[in-house]
């Protein structure tokens, strides 16, 4: 795909608002095969647009209508009749790489569950939720690399779910301020809390202590080289960046209640370049 400044869909090619320079997604795609740059950026862009509904639309009814519009637009895109500038790029990607609609719809379904305020009862529920979201995105990216074996796809969904859960630890303070789920209800109950209690000023200071066992479990579950050997380099880079992010969060003692901790672009570039 070539970029033309005059075409309305140009803004969704690589790099776009979902794969900005300096972001983890940017470096993952930057080191992918050049022929896939726009295709991968468009997939990240689709998830970005759907997930943005959580941040940009305050009325739940309007948010669900907007989400339904994106579901309908996906069907139109798969049928070769897109309307949105993003979909004008996405439609040929779906066709060329034989992408099923189910992973896209999984991302939309997970977004709707969050719109409805549904929370994970335990770690297994949170794991499943992350696999519905980032895991589904990873599956689509894997398919773009012409990998369609079900075992490979299951592995990539699992790895994507792990990345999504690391991000939830990183973003815990921001999510909490927005009233969104951070810690599974089972873990909160063990600490004598519920979701509403954790949000309150009286208990927000407990967030780092609550995140620590979650993050330690993620460190134990970190995908190893054997787990990711069959994945495209772009996704292995994503895993490596988030593994280092998890270590950085541990070094900060999970002090994310009032700040966002991340890696510098130079560090991400180094990790990406080192991932063979």
């Amino acid at each position: 795909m070539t970029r033309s400044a005059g075409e309305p869909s140009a803004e969704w090619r690589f790099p776009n608002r979902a794969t900005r320079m300096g972001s983890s997604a940017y470096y993952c795609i930057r080191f992918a095969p050049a022929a896939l740059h726009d295709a991968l950026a468009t997939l990240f862009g689709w998830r970005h647009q759907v997930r943005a509904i959580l941040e940009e639309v305050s009325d739940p009814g309007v948010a669900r209508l907007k989400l339904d519009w994106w579901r309908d637009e996906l069907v139109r895109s798969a049928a070769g009749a897109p309307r949105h500038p993003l979909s004008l790029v996405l439609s040929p990607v779906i066709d060329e790489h034989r992408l099923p609609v189910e992973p896209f719809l999984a991302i939309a379904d997970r977004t709707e569950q969050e719109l409805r305020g549904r929370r994970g009862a335990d770690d297994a529920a949170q794991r499943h939720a992350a696999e519905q979201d980032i895991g589904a995105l990873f599956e689509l990216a894997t398919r773009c690399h012409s990998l369609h074996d079900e075992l490979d796809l299951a592995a990539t969904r699992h790895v994507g779910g792990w990345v999504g859960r690391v991000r939830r630890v990183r973003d815990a303070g921001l999510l909490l301020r927005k009233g969104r789920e951070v810690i599974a209800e089972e873990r909160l109950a063990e600490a004598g809390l519920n979701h509403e209690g954790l949000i309150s000023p009286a208990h927000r200071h407990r967030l780092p202590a609550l995140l620590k066992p979650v993050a330690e479990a993620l460190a134990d579950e970190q995908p190893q080289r054997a787990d990711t050997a069959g994945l495209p380099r772009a996704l292995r880079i994503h895993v490596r960046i988030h593994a280092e992010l998890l270590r950085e969060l541990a070094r900060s003692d999970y002090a994310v209640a009032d700040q966002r901790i991340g890696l510098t672009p130079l560090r991400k570039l180094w990790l990406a370049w080192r991932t063979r």
Side-chain angles (χ1 to χ4, degrees):
M1 296 182 183
T2 57
R3 182 190 295 269
S4 172
E7 61 177 308
S9 58
E11 64 175 310
W12 290 106
R13 301 185 189 279
F14 181 71
N16 58 29
R17 68 187 68 173
T19 58
R20 298 182 189 277
M21 290 185 66
S23 67
S24 299
Y26 173 82
Y27 292 111
C28 294
I29 296 175
R30 176 66 182 79
F31 285 87
L36 293 179
H37 284 182
D38 284 345
L40 296 175
T42 303
L43 297 178
F44 278 78
W46 195 88
R47 177 186 177 271
H48 173 86
Q49 286 296 91
V50 169
R51 298 291 296 177
I53 296 172
L54 290 165
E55 315 297 335
E56 298 172 357
V57 184
S58 57
D59 184 293
V62 173
R64 286 195 290 273
L65 286 173
K66 191 167 185 178
L67 186 58
D68 284 340
W69 187 91
W70 275 107
R71 287 187 176 110
D72 292 341
E73 177 67 356
L74 174 64
V75 174
R76 288 190 292 268
S77 299
R83 297 180 185 176
H84 192 276
L86 167 61
S87 305
L88 294 174
V89 186
L90 179 63
S91 182
V93 171
I94 292 174
D95 181 59
E96 178 183 353
H97 297 285
R98 298 181 289 123
L99 300 181
V101 298
E102 287 78 12
F104 292 100
L105 294 177
I107 295 170
D109 290 347
R110 177 58 203 158
T111 303
E112 181 168 7
Q113 289 166 21
E114 292 190 49
L115 284 171
R116 295 182 181 275
R118 294 176 183 169
R119 304 188 184 103
D122 51 28
D123 288 349
Q126 287 201 330
R127 185 179 299 109
H128 175 70
E131 290 181 8
Q132 268 192 297
D133 181 22
I134 301 293
L137 177 64
F138 271 36
E139 177 186 336
L140 291 167
T142 299
R143 288 178 180 274
C144 282
H145 285 79
S146 300
L147 296 172
H148 300 280
D149 181 82
E150 281 303 320
L151 289 177
D152 289 335
L153 297 176
T156 202
R157 286 191 295 269
H158 175 75
V159 168
W162 181 85
V163 167
R165 290 155 63 209
V166 173
R167 289 186 182 185
R168 184 166 292 276
V169 173
R170 177 198 65 187
D171 297 336
L174 177 62
L175 293 171
L176 200 61
R177 291 192 293 276
K178 294 183 176 182
R180 304 254 294 278
E181 176 187 359
V182 174
I183 307 290
E185 292 179 344
E186 182 178 74
R187 286 185 180 269
L188 288 175
E190 290 172 355
L193 282 171
N194 56 23
H195 178 73
E196 289 69 26
L198 182 58
I199 292 174
S200 70
H203 294 289
R204 284 186 71 247
H205 70 279
R206 299 176 63 182
L207 181 61
L210 290 167
L211 288 174
K212 184 176 181 179
V214 175
E216 289 175 343
L218 283 168
D220 290 340
E221 296 173 28
Q222 179 182 325
Q224 301 303 309
R225 182 172 297 182
D227 303 319
T228 62
L231 299 186
R233 185 184 184 190
L235 303 186
R236 287 187 283 114
I237 289 172
H238 231 53
V239 171
R240 188 161 186 175
I241 287 174
H242 284 79
E244 184 60 27
L245 172 61
L246 191 60
R247 286 189 283 271
E248 188 67 26
L249 290 165
R251 285 189 284 268
S252 78
D253 204 21
Y254 311 103
V256 296
D258 298 301
Q259 63 179 336
R260 188 176 187 273
I261 294 170
L263 306 181
T264 66
L266 184 60
R267 200 159 163 197
K268 293 176 186 177
L269 172 60
W270 173 251
L271 291 167
W273 183 78
R274 293 276 295 176
T275 303
R276 300 300 183 184

